[in-house]
Amino acid sequence: MPSCPVSMAVSLVAMVASFLLLLIDSDVVLYISTAMIGVFSGALTSLSVTMTAELFGTKHFGVNHNIVVGSIPIGSFAFGLFAAKGYRDGAAFDGRFDGKCYGMYCFQTTLIFWAMLSSVAAV
């Protein structure tokens, strides 16, 4: 069984691939990449328990683990905020000032940004 850091790196590389797959305009790819994001996000959440113990030890484990998993809602909030801004900017760039944007273009910048961020985390 691979070590926890290797497992996390593999999961993050798969997340990068998932975000980049979302740039392909296909319903099948949408379903596959969404499933991949769900599976590997769950894997990262499961691995965070072991990583917390490996990084900080078992003394004050509860506090340390809660701080580590606190990044999940913060990341979700940041992703939503960044996606909403990209969506709004895409609508304005598309010549639509009614706040509506159609197609993949609206989230393209967001997906590339999160793929790059996941790449940095994998390294």
Side-chain angles (χ1 to χ4, degrees):
M1 182 166 183
S3 68
C4 196
V6 171
S7 299
M8 288 192 96
V10 168
S11 295
L12 284 166
V13 169
M15 293 283 285
V16 171
S18 303
F19 285 123
L20 294 177
L21 276 174
L22 283 171
L23 295 173
I24 298 171
D25 192 14
S26 165
D27 287 344
V28 173
V29 173
L30 173 68
Y31 299 137
I32 291 170
S33 59
T34 301
M36 285 174 63
I37 289 170
V39 167
F40 290 108
S41 291
L44 288 170
T45 302
S46 297
L47 290 169
S48 69
V49 175
T50 306
M51 282 300 292
T52 301
E54 285 183 15
L55 289 171
F56 305 111
T58 55
K59 186 175 181 180
H60 306 295
F61 174 78
V63 173
N64 292 334
H65 183 63
N66 283 329
I67 291 170
V68 169
V69 297
S71 64
I72 295 169
I74 293 168
S76 296
F77 175 74
F79 181 80
L81 190 63
F82 188 76
K85 177 155 179 29
Y87 184 84
R88 187 176 302 169
D89 291 348
F93 181 78
D94 197 25
R96 302 175 187 271
F97 296 102
D98 58 358
K100 297 178 184 172
C101 188
Y102 301 99
M104 298 179 22
Y105 173 76
C106 300
F107 291 102
Q108 188 175 24
T109 305
T110 305
L111 296 171
I112 292 169
F113 174 77
W114 285 101
M116 289 184 341
L117 193 63
S118 295
S119 296
V120 169
V123 170

